[in-house]
Amino acid sequence: MRVPILAANWKMHKTIGEAVAFAQAFALLVVDVAHAEMVIAPPFPALAAVAGALRGTRVALAAQNVHPEKQGAFTGEVSPPMLVDVGCGYAIVGHSERRHLFGESSAFVAKKAAALLAHGVRPIVCVGETLDEREASRTFAVLEDQLTGSLAAVSPEKAAEVVIAYEPVWAIGTGRTATPAIAQEAHAMIRGWLQKRFGATGDAIRIQYGGSVKPDNVAELMAQPDIDGALVGGASLEAASFAAIVRYQENAK
Ligand code: PEP
């Protein structure tokens, strides 16, 4: 009942030319894909060009960040209406790099998620524990805290439009993927929290796993009952690699 969603987070990679070349090559590689939603999140300067390259395909466009206000004196920021204007259907918020490198709080993430929903853009809300927090057996407490804070302004009516990305910080960009069992354990906890917070809608919310997802480990992760997709960094930078991730079913054992 939950349509799988595979998303590429390019972070601070690719010029406009490189991004368009990827989009054109990738669109051809996945032209027959109907089992999943596909999303690409280029850096801001490439959004308009990638939107053009993806027109007429089933691949959606995402931003990597947003500011909650509609407009104003916020130098360097980009607003939800600007994302709508350029063709974004999704935006990533609360990525661990924004939380840890740029000091973003769950309260700020909550404002971004609410602003996106108000403008019809679907937020991909990232949560995840650090290695220290996991080793101190605080994983569930951290996830609960981040979910409570980051989804504070989401109404049950809009909740189905939200995507959660569970990204253990110790697995991001490290080559160290959570085992399917470890990921499923966290996803099941998140599912329970969503059901408590949003009732039956909690069953409809997609929960992506993120953290060193690659073509050779995605199928076993996707086989878990509460893993509904992946948010992919490094392995999404090559069209063939991200296409192989999208086609995880063909590699399933
Ligand atoms: C990410 O950027 O969200 C991510 C999971 O990165 P990587 O796949 O490189 O670990």
Side-chain angles (χ1 to χ4, degrees):
M1 94 194 190
R2 296 185 294 265
V3 177
I5 176 165
L6 291 307
N9 173 18
W10 287 352
K11 312 192 186 191
M12 199 168 70
H13 292 283
K14 295 194 190 294
T15 60
I16 294 172
E18 290 165 348
V20 168
F22 177 111
Q24 289 167 341
F26 179 71
L28 290 177
L29 292 171
V30 298
V31 73
D32 59 330
V33 167
H35 68 275
E37 269 189 71
M38 300 166 279
V39 182
I40 296 178
F44 284 126
L47 281 174
V50 173
L54 294 179
R55 199 158 293 131
T57 75
R58 291 191 62 252
V59 186
L61 188 68
Q64 296 177 19
N65 191 19
V66 69
H67 190 279
E69 296 298 327
K70 271 195 260 189
Q71 59 182 29
F74 301 100
T75 301
E77 296 294 324
V78 172
S79 73
M82 292 172 185
L83 298 188
V84 172
D85 190 39
V86 77
C88 288
Y90 289 89
I92 300 168
V93 292
H95 191 280
S96 68
E97 286 151 18
R98 302 240 35 110
R99 291 180 188 267
H100 295 286
L101 300 176
F102 300 101
E104 291 192 4
S105 65
S106 288
F108 194 36
V109 175
K111 286 188 183 168
K112 296 179 185 208
L116 288 169
L117 288 170
H119 288 88
V121 180
R122 297 172 175 214
I124 298 176
V125 179
C126 304
V127 295
E129 81 287 0
T130 63
L131 187 57
D132 283 354
E133 289 163 344
R134 174 160 284 271
E135 286 176 346
S137 302
R138 294 193 51 234
T139 297
F140 284 8
V142 168
L143 293 180
E144 183 163 354
D145 198 51
Q146 290 179 345
L147 289 165
T148 304
S150 306
L151 302 183
V154 175
S155 66
E157 294 71 42
K158 294 266 185 175
E161 290 170 36
V162 173
V163 176
I164 305 294
Y166 168 62
E167 300 207 305
V169 179
W170 46 271
I172 297 179
T174 59
R176 186 177 165 194
T177 321
T179 62
I182 287 177
Q184 168 56 27
E185 184 186 42
H187 281 235
M189 178 261 145
I190 293 169
R191 175 79 56 217
W193 187 92
L194 293 171
Q195 287 163 336
K196 245 200 297 183
R197 171 78 164 74
F198 297 115
T201 305
D203 285 321
I205 298 175
R206 275 98 49 97
I207 310 174
Q208 297 176 309
Y209 168 79
S212 298
V213 172
K214 302 204 163 42
D216 63 1
N217 62 21
V218 62
E220 54 182 6
L221 288 160
M222 290 301 293
Q224 302 302 308
D226 289 296
I227 298 184
D228 310 310
L231 182 55
V232 188
S236 75
L237 292 171
E238 295 291 333
S241 166
F242 188 48
I245 288 171
V246 164
R247 292 178 172 282
Y248 62 90
Q249 289 173 313
E250 294 165 26
N251 300 324
K253 290 176 192 121

